[in-house]
mmCIF file of all heavy atoms in Angstrom:
data_model
loop_
_atom_site.group_PDB
_atom_site.id
_atom_site.type_symbol
_atom_site.label_atom_id
_atom_site.label_comp_id
_atom_site.label_asym_id
_atom_site.label_seq_id
_atom_site.Cartn_x
_atom_site.Cartn_y
_atom_site.Cartn_z
ATOM 1 N N ALA U 4 299.121 65.604 14.456
ATOM 2 C CA ALA U 4 299.582 64.506 15.291
ATOM 3 C C ALA U 4 300.983 64.751 15.834
ATOM 4 O O ALA U 4 301.436 64.061 16.733
ATOM 5 C CB ALA U 4 299.579 63.208 14.482
ATOM 6 N N LEU U 14 293.667 79.623 6.022
ATOM 7 C CA LEU U 14 293.119 80.967 6.059
ATOM 8 C C LEU U 14 292.327 81.232 4.786
ATOM 9 O O LEU U 14 292.602 80.667 3.742
ATOM 10 C CB LEU U 14 294.277 81.972 6.180
ATOM 11 C CG LEU U 14 295.145 81.754 7.412
ATOM 12 C CD1 LEU U 14 296.257 82.772 7.442
ATOM 13 C CD2 LEU U 14 294.333 81.851 8.680
ATOM 14 N N ARG U 29 290.477 97.378 -14.239
ATOM 15 C CA ARG U 29 291.755 96.760 -13.943
ATOM 16 C C ARG U 29 292.514 97.661 -12.969
ATOM 17 O O ARG U 29 292.777 98.816 -13.253
ATOM 18 C CB ARG U 29 292.553 96.589 -15.232
ATOM 19 C CG ARG U 29 293.729 95.688 -15.050
ATOM 20 C CD ARG U 29 294.239 95.186 -16.387
ATOM 21 N NE ARG U 29 295.384 94.314 -16.149
ATOM 22 C CZ ARG U 29 295.261 93.049 -15.816
ATOM 23 N NH1 ARG U 29 294.084 92.511 -15.705
ATOM 24 N NH2 ARG U 29 296.348 92.308 -15.604
ATOM 25 N N LEU U 33 300.241 97.731 -6.532
ATOM 26 C CA LEU U 33 301.427 98.509 -6.144
ATOM 27 C C LEU U 33 302.455 97.669 -5.386
ATOM 28 O O LEU U 33 303.575 98.117 -5.159
ATOM 29 C CB LEU U 33 301.012 99.694 -5.255
ATOM 30 C CG LEU U 33 299.967 100.656 -5.834
ATOM 31 C CD1 LEU U 33 299.786 101.850 -4.886
ATOM 32 C CD2 LEU U 33 300.354 101.144 -7.220
ATOM 33 N N GLN U 40 309.361 102.592 -10.251
ATOM 34 C CA GLN U 40 308.050 102.273 -10.850
ATOM 35 C C GLN U 40 306.925 102.969 -10.086
ATOM 36 O O GLN U 40 305.974 103.469 -10.681
ATOM 37 C CB GLN U 40 307.833 100.756 -10.829
ATOM 38 C CG GLN U 40 308.710 100.019 -11.824
ATOM 39 C CD GLN U 40 308.679 98.513 -11.586
ATOM 40 O OE1 GLN U 40 308.563 98.034 -10.458
ATOM 41 N NE2 GLN U 40 308.800 97.761 -12.661
ATOM 42 N N MET U 59 305.063 103.446 -0.154
ATOM 43 C CA MET U 59 305.953 102.287 0.069
ATOM 44 C C MET U 59 306.068 101.979 1.559
ATOM 45 O O MET U 59 306.045 100.821 1.969
ATOM 46 C CB MET U 59 307.344 102.569 -0.512
ATOM 47 C CG MET U 59 307.401 102.427 -2.031
ATOM 48 S SD MET U 59 309.018 102.903 -2.684
ATOM 49 C CE MET U 59 310.046 101.600 -2.039
ATOM 50 N N GLU U 65 304.604 98.996 7.240
ATOM 51 C CA GLU U 65 303.411 98.771 8.067
ATOM 52 C C GLU U 65 302.625 97.533 7.658
ATOM 53 O O GLU U 65 301.739 97.088 8.387
ATOM 54 C CB GLU U 65 302.486 100.001 8.000
ATOM 55 C CG GLU U 65 303.116 101.283 8.510
ATOM 56 C CD GLU U 65 303.446 101.206 10.001
ATOM 57 O OE1 GLU U 65 302.745 100.472 10.725
ATOM 58 O OE2 GLU U 65 304.402 101.863 10.425
ATOM 59 N N TYR U 97 297.939 78.051 3.867
ATOM 60 C CA TYR U 97 298.419 77.240 4.990
ATOM 61 C C TYR U 97 299.483 78.040 5.723
ATOM 62 O O TYR U 97 300.330 78.692 5.103
ATOM 63 C CB TYR U 97 299.028 75.925 4.470
ATOM 64 C CG TYR U 97 299.815 75.174 5.533
ATOM 65 C CD1 TYR U 97 299.176 74.318 6.420
ATOM 66 C CD2 TYR U 97 301.186 75.361 5.661
ATOM 67 C CE1 TYR U 97 299.892 73.662 7.410
ATOM 68 C CE2 TYR U 97 301.914 74.704 6.643
ATOM 69 C CZ TYR U 97 301.261 73.857 7.510
ATOM 70 O OH TYR U 97 301.958 73.211 8.487
ATOM 71 N N SER U 101 306.713 75.031 13.382
ATOM 72 C CA SER U 101 307.346 73.816 13.849
ATOM 73 C C SER U 101 307.756 73.983 15.312
ATOM 74 O O SER U 101 307.884 75.106 15.816
ATOM 75 C CB SER U 101 308.583 73.570 12.980
ATOM 76 O OG SER U 101 309.457 72.690 13.615
ATOM 77 N N GLY U 115 296.248 80.255 -9.202
ATOM 78 C CA GLY U 115 295.813 79.154 -8.342
ATOM 79 C C GLY U 115 296.931 78.198 -7.979
ATOM 80 O O GLY U 115 296.696 77.203 -7.306
ATOM 81 N N THR U 120 307.053 79.422 1.368
ATOM 82 C CA THR U 120 307.952 80.388 1.989
ATOM 83 C C THR U 120 308.217 79.902 3.410
ATOM 84 O O THR U 120 307.274 79.507 4.099
ATOM 85 C CB THR U 120 307.295 81.784 2.054
ATOM 86 O OG1 THR U 120 306.898 82.152 0.739
ATOM 87 C CG2 THR U 120 308.252 82.823 2.582
ATOM 88 N N VAL U 121 309.477 79.918 3.827
ATOM 89 C CA VAL U 121 309.827 79.382 5.145
ATOM 90 C C VAL U 121 310.636 80.421 5.908
ATOM 91 O O VAL U 121 311.571 81.021 5.362
ATOM 92 C CB VAL U 121 310.665 78.084 5.004
ATOM 93 C CG1 VAL U 121 310.955 77.499 6.381
ATOM 94 C CG2 VAL U 121 309.954 77.062 4.140
ATOM 95 N N LYS U 152 311.318 67.761 -9.467
ATOM 96 C CA LYS U 152 310.475 66.639 -9.926
ATOM 97 C C LYS U 152 309.048 67.087 -10.217
ATOM 98 O O LYS U 152 308.260 66.347 -10.765
ATOM 99 C CB LYS U 152 310.451 65.525 -8.858
ATOM 100 C CG LYS U 152 311.814 64.898 -8.612
ATOM 101 C CD LYS U 152 312.273 64.072 -9.802
ATOM 102 C CE LYS U 152 313.753 63.751 -9.750
ATOM 103 N NZ LYS U 152 314.608 64.800 -10.337
ATOM 104 N N GLN U 153 308.703 68.303 -9.795
ATOM 105 C CA GLN U 153 307.336 68.784 -9.992
ATOM 106 C C GLN U 153 307.154 69.485 -11.330
ATOM 107 O O GLN U 153 306.047 69.876 -11.688
ATOM 108 C CB GLN U 153 306.965 69.751 -8.861
ATOM 109 C CG GLN U 153 306.892 69.062 -7.508
ATOM 110 C CD GLN U 153 306.844 70.058 -6.367
ATOM 111 O OE1 GLN U 153 306.556 71.224 -6.570
ATOM 112 N NE2 GLN U 153 307.153 69.598 -5.177
ATOM 113 N N THR U 160 305.728 86.782 -10.443
ATOM 114 C CA THR U 160 305.878 88.218 -10.688
ATOM 115 C C THR U 160 306.657 88.839 -9.510
ATOM 116 O O THR U 160 306.792 88.219 -8.445
ATOM 117 C CB THR U 160 304.502 88.902 -10.778
ATOM 118 O OG1 THR U 160 303.867 88.773 -9.489
ATOM 119 C CG2 THR U 160 303.626 88.272 -11.844
ATOM 120 N N ASP U 213 315.620 98.460 -0.172
ATOM 121 C CA ASP U 213 315.196 99.869 -0.086
ATOM 122 C C ASP U 213 314.812 100.221 1.361
ATOM 123 O O ASP U 213 314.093 99.479 2.030
ATOM 124 C CB ASP U 213 313.988 100.081 -1.009
ATOM 125 C CG ASP U 213 313.755 101.544 -1.325
ATOM 126 O OD1 ASP U 213 313.573 102.346 -0.366
ATOM 127 O OD2 ASP U 213 313.758 101.896 -2.518
ATOM 128 N N VAL U 232 325.369 81.111 -15.788
ATOM 129 C CA VAL U 232 326.566 81.964 -15.851
ATOM 130 C C VAL U 232 326.317 83.354 -16.435
ATOM 131 O O VAL U 232 326.703 84.360 -15.813
ATOM 132 C CB VAL U 232 327.701 81.215 -16.586
ATOM 133 C CG1 VAL U 232 328.820 82.159 -16.990
ATOM 134 C CG2 VAL U 232 328.233 80.095 -15.685
ATOM 135 N N ILE U 242 323.188 94.681 -9.187
ATOM 136 C CA ILE U 242 322.878 94.685 -7.754
ATOM 137 C C ILE U 242 323.771 93.645 -7.075
ATOM 138 O O ILE U 242 323.680 92.462 -7.378
ATOM 139 C CB ILE U 242 321.363 94.391 -7.537
ATOM 140 C CG1 ILE U 242 320.979 94.391 -6.067
ATOM 141 C CG2 ILE U 242 320.930 93.110 -8.199
ATOM 142 C CD1 ILE U 242 319.461 94.310 -5.842
ATOM 143 N N TYR U 294 326.560 72.700 -0.685
ATOM 144 C CA TYR U 294 326.952 71.341 -1.088
ATOM 145 C C TYR U 294 326.023 70.360 -0.375
ATOM 146 O O TYR U 294 326.123 70.153 0.835
ATOM 147 C CB TYR U 294 328.410 71.109 -0.680
ATOM 148 C CG TYR U 294 329.054 69.854 -1.241
ATOM 149 C CD1 TYR U 294 329.850 69.890 -2.382
ATOM 150 C CD2 TYR U 294 328.892 68.631 -0.604
ATOM 151 C CE1 TYR U 294 330.455 68.746 -2.881
ATOM 152 C CE2 TYR U 294 329.494 67.482 -1.096
ATOM 153 C CZ TYR U 294 330.273 67.554 -2.230
ATOM 154 O OH TYR U 294 330.879 66.407 -2.724
ATOM 155 N N ILE U 297 325.086 63.709 -0.143
ATOM 156 C CA ILE U 297 324.249 62.567 -0.502
ATOM 157 C C ILE U 297 325.052 61.291 -0.255
ATOM 158 O O ILE U 297 326.196 61.160 -0.722
ATOM 159 C CB ILE U 297 323.811 62.637 -1.983
ATOM 160 C CG1 ILE U 297 323.177 64.001 -2.286
ATOM 161 C CG2 ILE U 297 322.860 61.500 -2.314
ATOM 162 C CD1 ILE U 297 322.890 64.244 -3.759
ATOM 163 N N LEU U 317 339.105 80.576 -4.622
ATOM 164 C CA LEU U 317 337.862 81.358 -4.504
ATOM 165 C C LEU U 317 337.582 81.733 -3.047
ATOM 166 O O LEU U 317 337.451 80.854 -2.199
ATOM 167 C CB LEU U 317 336.675 80.535 -5.040
ATOM 168 C CG LEU U 317 335.326 81.261 -5.085
ATOM 169 C CD1 LEU U 317 335.320 82.314 -6.201
ATOM 170 C CD2 LEU U 317 334.174 80.269 -5.294
ATOM 171 N N PRO U 318 337.461 83.037 -2.747
ATOM 172 C CA PRO U 318 337.040 83.413 -1.390
ATOM 173 C C PRO U 318 335.624 82.887 -1.142
ATOM 174 O O PRO U 318 334.674 83.330 -1.794
ATOM 175 C CB PRO U 318 337.056 84.942 -1.404
ATOM 176 C CG PRO U 318 337.852 85.317 -2.615
ATOM 177 C CD PRO U 318 337.677 84.212 -3.604
ATOM 178 N N PRO U 328 315.544 63.489 2.342
ATOM 179 C CA PRO U 328 314.922 62.471 1.478
ATOM 180 C C PRO U 328 313.477 62.809 1.118
ATOM 181 O O PRO U 328 312.744 63.401 1.911
ATOM 182 C CB PRO U 328 314.969 61.201 2.346
ATOM 183 C CG PRO U 328 315.989 61.472 3.382
ATOM 184 C CD PRO U 328 315.948 62.948 3.635
ATOM 185 N N SER U 332 313.281 59.236 -4.437
ATOM 186 C CA SER U 332 314.380 60.062 -4.950
ATOM 187 C C SER U 332 315.548 59.190 -5.400
ATOM 188 O O SER U 332 316.320 59.576 -6.270
ATOM 189 C CB SER U 332 314.865 61.033 -3.867
ATOM 190 O OG SER U 332 315.476 60.314 -2.811
ATOM 191 N N LYS U 336 320.239 60.156 2.857
ATOM 192 C CA LYS U 336 321.005 61.105 3.671
ATOM 193 C C LYS U 336 322.173 60.365 4.320
ATOM 194 O O LYS U 336 321.981 59.274 4.853
ATOM 195 C CB LYS U 336 320.075 61.670 4.756
ATOM 196 C CG LYS U 336 320.732 62.708 5.649
ATOM 197 C CD LYS U 336 319.924 62.924 6.916
ATOM 198 C CE LYS U 336 318.770 63.859 6.671
ATOM 199 N NZ LYS U 336 318.198 64.382 7.921
ATOM 200 N N ARG U 362 315.722 71.932 9.480
ATOM 201 C CA ARG U 362 314.763 72.646 10.323
ATOM 202 C C ARG U 362 313.360 72.340 9.861
ATOM 203 O O ARG U 362 313.113 72.068 8.695
ATOM 204 C CB ARG U 362 315.018 74.169 10.231
ATOM 205 C CG ARG U 362 316.422 74.577 10.582
ATOM 206 C CD ARG U 362 316.738 74.297 12.041
ATOM 207 N NE ARG U 362 315.847 75.002 12.920
ATOM 208 C CZ ARG U 362 316.061 76.252 13.364
ATOM 209 N NH1 ARG U 362 317.131 76.907 13.014
ATOM 210 N NH2 ARG U 362 315.191 76.828 14.169
ATOM 211 N N LEU U 373 306.019 70.495 0.762
ATOM 212 C CA LEU U 373 304.668 70.691 1.278
ATOM 213 C C LEU U 373 303.682 70.982 0.159
ATOM 214 O O LEU U 373 302.545 70.542 0.188
ATOM 215 C CB LEU U 373 304.678 71.848 2.287
ATOM 216 C CG LEU U 373 303.409 72.036 3.092
ATOM 217 C CD1 LEU U 373 303.075 70.780 3.870
ATOM 218 C CD2 LEU U 373 303.587 73.182 4.063
ATOM 219 N N ARG U 376 302.396 68.564 -5.861
ATOM 220 C CA ARG U 376 302.491 68.737 -7.299
ATOM 221 C C ARG U 376 301.932 70.084 -7.732
ATOM 222 O O ARG U 376 300.879 70.489 -7.280
ATOM 223 C CB ARG U 376 301.716 67.630 -7.984
ATOM 224 C CG ARG U 376 301.862 67.591 -9.473
ATOM 225 C CD ARG U 376 301.635 66.181 -9.934
ATOM 226 N NE ARG U 376 300.232 65.844 -9.934
ATOM 227 C CZ ARG U 376 299.474 65.951 -11.013
ATOM 228 N NH1 ARG U 376 299.966 66.404 -12.131
ATOM 229 N NH2 ARG U 376 298.213 65.596 -10.974
ATOM 230 N N SER U 390 307.972 56.539 -14.347
ATOM 231 C CA SER U 390 309.265 55.841 -14.288
ATOM 232 C C SER U 390 309.401 55.080 -12.981
ATOM 233 O O SER U 390 309.965 53.993 -12.930
ATOM 234 C CB SER U 390 310.424 56.836 -14.462
ATOM 235 O OG SER U 390 310.549 57.628 -13.302
#
Side-chain angles (χ1 to χ4, degrees):
L14 302 179
R29 193 162 180 82
L33 304 186
Q40 288 168 327
M59 283 175 68
E65 299 296 331
Y97 167 85
S101 161
T120 305
V121 183
K152 296 291 165 274
Q153 294 167 17
T160 64
D213 198 303
V232 165
I242 180 171
Y294 191 97
I297 308 172
L317 185 72
S332 67
K336 182 196 279 196
R362 304 295 300 272
L373 190 58
R376 187 153 77 95
S390 72

